[in-house]
Amino acid sequence: MKCLTLKRVAGEKTRVDIDVNTGVAFGPKADEFMSYLGVVSRERLSILINSWDQVPEVDRNMIWKDVLVSFTLLLLPYNAF
């Protein structure tokens, strides 16, 4: 995450490919993206929340804005590569 933090401070974004059919990240930066989502969710959400449906809209929007600061999401069909 240190490399990602340095990019974020410099104003750079990491491109992540997202499969349009499943919503799952793939490609060379997919692991970095999923790790980042884990860190953000642990920092901002209660451990008592059982599912994404229970996350308040305010928290969802805050997480979404945080993700968009660090990543550019490109929606592609997985079989495009």
Side-chain angles (χ1 to χ4, degrees):
M1 296 288 95
K2 183 177 179 181
C3 180
L4 186 59
T5 303
L6 293 174
K7 284 183 177 182
R8 186 175 180 163
V9 170
E12 298 175 23
K13 290 186 176 186
T14 302
R15 187 186 121 191
V16 178
D17 301 324
I18 306 291
D19 182 4
V20 294
N21 298 317
T22 62
V24 176
F26 68 94
K29 298 295 183 176
D31 289 340
E32 184 177 326
F33 178 67
M34 289 185 276
S35 293
Y36 182 76
L37 291 178
V39 169
V40 170
S41 63
R42 281 190 298 277
E43 286 178 352
R44 300 190 186 252
L45 301 177
S46 169
I47 195 169
L48 300 176
I49 295 174
N50 292 323
S51 72
W52 183 250
D53 295 332
Q54 296 176 345
V55 177
E57 189 74 24
V58 174
D59 292 334
R60 289 181 191 202
N61 290 335
M62 185 173 41
I63 291 170
W64 181 243
K65 288 177 184 177
D66 194 333
V67 167
L68 292 179
V69 168
S70 298
F71 293 95
T72 299
L73 305 177
L74 185 60
L75 300 174
L76 299 168
Y78 179 73
N79 58 5
F81 293 94

